[in-house]
Structure formats: structure tokens, C-alpha cells
Amino acid sequence: MYLPLLKFVARKYCTERDERDDCLAEAVLGFLRAIRTYNVHRGSLDGYIATVASHRLIDMARRAAGPHIELSDTLDGWGSSLGDPAEAGVPDMVALAVTLSDSERVCFERHLRGETLQVIAAGLKMSKASVSNALARAKRKLGKALS
């Protein structure tokens, strides 16, 4: 009965014909989980099934993309031992810093100094979630600029 819905969801996330069977299998596993965890008071069953199946397919795509490389892994080799940064292939740090907002830049600099989220949040009078979001945005922006 729900197979057309599952096929529709799978087609949204899997464009290659070769992987459609895998995507449909993941969607079915999402369907089974949705059936077990559905709460009548939280909305329609169809919508819940589509959401759970979609999240399962997004997780599959993330796993297929491979391990996430943290920006700090890329920055570990940077330092005074490099000599001239231009010769070492280090991007222009001024150009990179311009891409960040003030809060992203300050949070990222304090994070690089080893401060915890809680310490950064208290020092900047921000919530811990705001600091975490600013760090994530900074890492994403700098990661794109470094690649």
C-alpha cells in the first residue's frame, strides 16, 4: 500500500538507476521504523513515513560521501615551521578571514586557541548553541575556501 510513496521518496534522493534498489531498500527500512515509532497525536502517518524514509536516505548519502574532514585537520600543519606561507601553498589568511562574519571569526579564533564552547559562549555572552552554529559555519566556509 505504501510502496508508491516509498518509490517517490527514493527517486528524490537517488538519481542513478543502479542505486535505486538500494535507495528503495533504505526507504523500506525507514518505513518499518516509522511504523514502530508513529504517534497518532503528531500528524498523518503518510507524512511521518515520508519524513523518516527521507532522513534514512539522507543518512545513507552521508555515509556514502565518506568521512568528514575537519578543518582543524587541514590546519594542523600550518605554523611558523612552514617558513614563507606563500611558498608552502597556504591560502591568503586575510582573504579567508574576510569571508567570515565577526562572530564566526571570533568564535573560530577562540576555538583554535583551545577554548571550549562553554567558555567561548560565556566570554561572548552568547548561547552555547549560537557559538556551535557560528563554528560550524566558519568551518564550512573555510573548508570550501581551502579545497
Side-chain angles (χ1 to χ4, degrees), residues 101-123:
S101 70
D102 289 339
S103 65
E104 292 166 350
R105 184 183 46 75
V106 172
C107 289
F108 189 70
E109 287 172 356
R110 293 181 76 161
H111 173 70
L112 287 178
R113 285 187 291 226
E115 294 181 23
T116 65
L117 289 179
Q118 192 168 4
V119 170
I120 297 169

Side-chain angles (χ1 to χ4, degrees), residues 90-106:
V90 177
D92 180 9
M93 293 307 289
V94 174
L96 288 177
V98 169
T99 65
L100 301 178
S101 70
D102 289 339
S103 65
E104 292 166 350
R105 184 183 46 75
V106 172

Side-chain angles (χ1 to χ4, degrees), residues 61-77:
R62 287 180 181 154
R63 284 191 309 269
H68 176 71
I69 298 173
E70 287 291 328
L71 179 62
S72 58
D73 297 341
T74 309
L75 295 176
D76 283 342

